Short mmCIF file of all heavy atoms in Angstrom, two decimals:
data_model
loop_
_atom_site.label_atom_id
_atom_site.label_comp_id
_atom_site.label_asym_id
_atom_site.label_seq_id
_atom_site.Cartn_x
_atom_site.Cartn_y
_atom_site.Cartn_z
N PHE A 1 276.17 86.27 156.80
CA PHE A 1 275.04 85.38 156.52
C PHE A 1 273.71 85.98 156.95
O PHE A 1 272.67 85.62 156.42
CB PHE A 1 275.24 84.02 157.19
CG PHE A 1 276.19 83.14 156.45
CD1 PHE A 1 277.54 83.17 156.75
CD2 PHE A 1 275.75 82.30 155.45
CE1 PHE A 1 278.43 82.38 156.06
CE2 PHE A 1 276.62 81.50 154.75
CZ PHE A 1 277.97 81.54 155.05
N VAL A 2 273.71 86.89 157.91
CA VAL A 2 272.44 87.44 158.39
C VAL A 2 271.78 88.35 157.37
O VAL A 2 270.62 88.72 157.53
CB VAL A 2 272.61 88.18 159.75
CG1 VAL A 2 273.11 87.24 160.82
CG2 VAL A 2 273.50 89.39 159.61
N TYR A 3 272.48 88.69 156.30
CA TYR A 3 271.92 89.56 155.28
C TYR A 3 271.32 88.78 154.12
O TYR A 3 270.87 89.37 153.14
CB TYR A 3 273.00 90.51 154.74
CG TYR A 3 273.52 91.42 155.82
CD1 TYR A 3 274.73 91.16 156.45
CD2 TYR A 3 272.78 92.52 156.23
CE1 TYR A 3 275.19 91.98 157.45
CE2 TYR A 3 273.24 93.35 157.24
CZ TYR A 3 274.45 93.08 157.84
OH TYR A 3 274.90 93.89 158.84
N HIS A 4 271.32 87.46 154.19
CA HIS A 4 270.85 86.62 153.08
C HIS A 4 270.00 85.48 153.60
O HIS A 4 270.18 85.01 154.72
CB HIS A 4 272.05 86.05 152.32
CG HIS A 4 273.00 87.09 151.84
ND1 HIS A 4 272.74 87.87 150.74
CD2 HIS A 4 274.18 87.51 152.33
CE1 HIS A 4 273.74 88.71 150.57
NE2 HIS A 4 274.63 88.53 151.52
N LYS A 5 269.07 85.01 152.77
CA LYS A 5 268.26 83.84 153.12
C LYS A 5 269.01 82.61 152.61
O LYS A 5 268.99 82.32 151.42
CB LYS A 5 266.87 83.93 152.50
CG LYS A 5 266.09 85.07 153.14
CD LYS A 5 264.63 84.99 152.89
CE LYS A 5 264.01 83.91 153.71
NZ LYS A 5 262.56 84.03 153.81
N THR A 6 269.70 81.96 153.52
CA THR A 6 270.50 80.80 153.14
C THR A 6 269.91 79.53 153.74
O THR A 6 269.07 79.58 154.64
CB THR A 6 271.96 80.94 153.63
OG1 THR A 6 272.01 80.78 155.05
CG2 THR A 6 272.55 82.29 153.23
N MET A 7 270.39 78.41 153.25
CA MET A 7 269.94 77.11 153.77
C MET A 7 270.54 76.83 155.15
O MET A 7 270.19 75.85 155.78
CB MET A 7 270.35 76.00 152.81
CG MET A 7 269.78 76.16 151.43
SD MET A 7 268.02 75.86 151.44
CE MET A 7 267.84 75.26 149.79
N ASN A 8 271.40 77.69 155.61
CA ASN A 8 271.99 77.58 156.94
C ASN A 8 270.94 78.09 157.93
O ASN A 8 271.01 79.21 158.43
CB ASN A 8 273.26 78.45 156.98
CG ASN A 8 274.14 78.11 158.13
OD1 ASN A 8 273.66 77.69 159.17
ND2 ASN A 8 275.42 78.30 157.95
N TYR A 9 269.94 77.26 158.21
CA TYR A 9 268.70 77.68 158.84
C TYR A 9 268.36 76.89 160.11
O TYR A 9 267.26 76.96 160.63
CB TYR A 9 267.58 77.51 157.80
CG TYR A 9 266.49 78.53 157.85
CD1 TYR A 9 266.72 79.87 157.58
CD2 TYR A 9 265.18 78.15 158.15
CE1 TYR A 9 265.70 80.80 157.60
CE2 TYR A 9 264.15 79.07 158.16
CZ TYR A 9 264.42 80.39 157.90
OH TYR A 9 263.41 81.31 157.92
N GLY A 10 269.33 76.10 160.58
CA GLY A 10 269.07 75.20 161.70
C GLY A 10 268.58 75.88 162.96
O GLY A 10 267.67 75.39 163.63
N ASP A 11 269.18 77.02 163.32
CA ASP A 11 268.74 77.69 164.55
C ASP A 11 267.30 78.16 164.45
O ASP A 11 266.56 78.12 165.43
CB ASP A 11 269.68 78.83 164.93
CG ASP A 11 269.87 79.88 163.85
OD1 ASP A 11 269.41 79.67 162.72
OD2 ASP A 11 270.50 80.91 164.14
N CYS A 12 266.86 78.54 163.26
CA CYS A 12 265.46 78.96 163.08
C CYS A 12 264.50 77.79 163.29
O CYS A 12 263.48 77.92 163.98
CB CYS A 12 265.25 79.53 161.68
SG CYS A 12 266.13 81.07 161.39
N ILE A 13 264.83 76.64 162.70
CA ILE A 13 263.97 75.46 162.83
C ILE A 13 263.89 75.01 164.28
O ILE A 13 262.80 74.75 164.81
CB ILE A 13 264.49 74.31 161.94
CG1 ILE A 13 264.50 74.72 160.46
CG2 ILE A 13 263.71 73.03 162.18
CD1 ILE A 13 263.15 75.02 159.88
N LEU A 14 265.05 74.91 164.94
CA LEU A 14 265.05 74.46 166.34
C LEU A 14 264.30 75.42 167.25
O LEU A 14 263.54 75.00 168.13
CB LEU A 14 266.49 74.25 166.83
CG LEU A 14 267.24 73.10 166.16
CD1 LEU A 14 268.68 73.06 166.65
CD2 LEU A 14 266.55 71.77 166.40
N GLU A 15 264.48 76.72 167.06
CA GLU A 15 263.77 77.70 167.89
C GLU A 15 262.27 77.69 167.60
O GLU A 15 261.46 77.87 168.51
CB GLU A 15 264.34 79.10 167.69
CG GLU A 15 265.61 79.34 168.49
CD GLU A 15 265.39 79.17 169.98
OE1 GLU A 15 264.82 80.06 170.64
OE2 GLU A 15 265.81 78.11 170.52
N LYS A 16 261.89 77.48 166.35
CA LYS A 16 260.46 77.37 166.02
C LYS A 16 259.84 76.17 166.75
O LYS A 16 258.76 76.28 167.33
CB LYS A 16 260.28 77.23 164.50
CG LYS A 16 258.84 77.12 164.06
CD LYS A 16 258.09 78.41 164.27
CE LYS A 16 256.72 78.35 163.61
NZ LYS A 16 256.01 79.61 163.74
N ARG A 17 260.54 75.04 166.73
CA ARG A 17 260.04 73.85 167.44
C ARG A 17 259.94 74.11 168.94
O ARG A 17 258.96 73.71 169.58
CB ARG A 17 260.97 72.66 167.17
CG ARG A 17 260.88 72.15 165.75
CD ARG A 17 261.90 71.06 165.50
NE ARG A 17 261.87 70.64 164.10
CZ ARG A 17 262.80 69.89 163.54
NH1 ARG A 17 263.84 69.46 164.25
NH2 ARG A 17 262.69 69.55 162.27
N ARG A 18 260.93 74.78 169.50
CA ARG A 18 260.90 75.09 170.94
C ARG A 18 259.77 76.05 171.26
O ARG A 18 259.14 75.94 172.32
CB ARG A 18 262.25 75.68 171.37
CG ARG A 18 263.36 74.67 171.38
CD ARG A 18 264.70 75.30 171.82
NE ARG A 18 265.75 74.33 171.66
CZ ARG A 18 266.90 74.55 171.01
NH1 ARG A 18 267.14 75.74 170.48
NH2 ARG A 18 267.80 73.61 170.91
N SER A 19 259.50 76.98 170.36
CA SER A 19 258.41 77.92 170.62
C SER A 19 257.07 77.19 170.66
O SER A 19 256.22 77.49 171.50
CB SER A 19 258.39 79.05 169.58
OG SER A 19 257.91 78.61 168.33
N ARG A 20 256.89 76.24 169.76
CA ARG A 20 255.64 75.45 169.77
C ARG A 20 255.49 74.66 171.05
O ARG A 20 254.40 74.59 171.62
CB ARG A 20 255.61 74.52 168.56
CG ARG A 20 255.33 75.27 167.28
CD ARG A 20 255.11 74.32 166.13
NE ARG A 20 254.87 75.07 164.91
CZ ARG A 20 255.34 74.72 163.73
NH1 ARG A 20 256.07 73.63 163.60
NH2 ARG A 20 255.08 75.45 162.68
N LYS A 21 256.58 74.05 171.51
CA LYS A 21 256.52 73.29 172.77
C LYS A 21 256.18 74.20 173.94
O LYS A 21 255.58 73.76 174.92
CB LYS A 21 257.86 72.59 173.02
CG LYS A 21 258.06 71.38 172.14
CD LYS A 21 259.38 70.70 172.45
CE LYS A 21 259.59 69.52 171.50
NZ LYS A 21 260.91 68.89 171.71
N ALA A 22 256.57 75.47 173.85
CA ALA A 22 256.28 76.44 174.91
C ALA A 22 254.91 77.09 174.74
O ALA A 22 254.55 78.00 175.49
CB ALA A 22 257.37 77.51 174.93
N GLY A 23 254.13 76.65 173.74
CA GLY A 23 252.80 77.19 173.52
C GLY A 23 252.78 78.49 172.74
O GLY A 23 251.79 79.21 172.76
N MET A 24 253.87 78.78 172.05
CA MET A 24 253.98 80.01 171.27
C MET A 24 253.85 79.70 169.78
O MET A 24 254.08 78.58 169.35
CB MET A 24 255.34 80.68 171.50
CG MET A 24 255.64 81.03 172.92
SD MET A 24 254.64 82.44 173.41
CE MET A 24 254.80 82.37 175.17
N ASP A 25 253.53 80.72 169.00
CA ASP A 25 253.50 80.60 167.54
C ASP A 25 254.85 80.93 166.92
O ASP A 25 255.17 80.47 165.84
CB ASP A 25 252.47 81.57 166.94
CG ASP A 25 251.07 81.24 167.37
OD1 ASP A 25 250.64 80.10 167.12
OD2 ASP A 25 250.40 82.11 167.96
#
């Protein structure tokens, strides 16, 4: 799965939200 852009994207969304809470882009 790491070689394709799939809808299996939950870890990306959650980490993006956590980065914002930590003051990161």
Side-chain angles (χ1 to χ4, degrees):
F1 282 91
V2 299
Y3 298 101
H4 304 283
K5 292 197 74 163
T6 72
M7 301 289 210
N8 196 329
Y9 215 64
D11 56 352
C12 294
I13 300 296
L14 293 176
E15 280 300 283
K16 180 69 171 183
R17 290 175 184 167
R18 289 180 186 128
S19 74
R20 285 188 182 141
K21 285 181 183 176
M24 302 287 164
D25 296 303

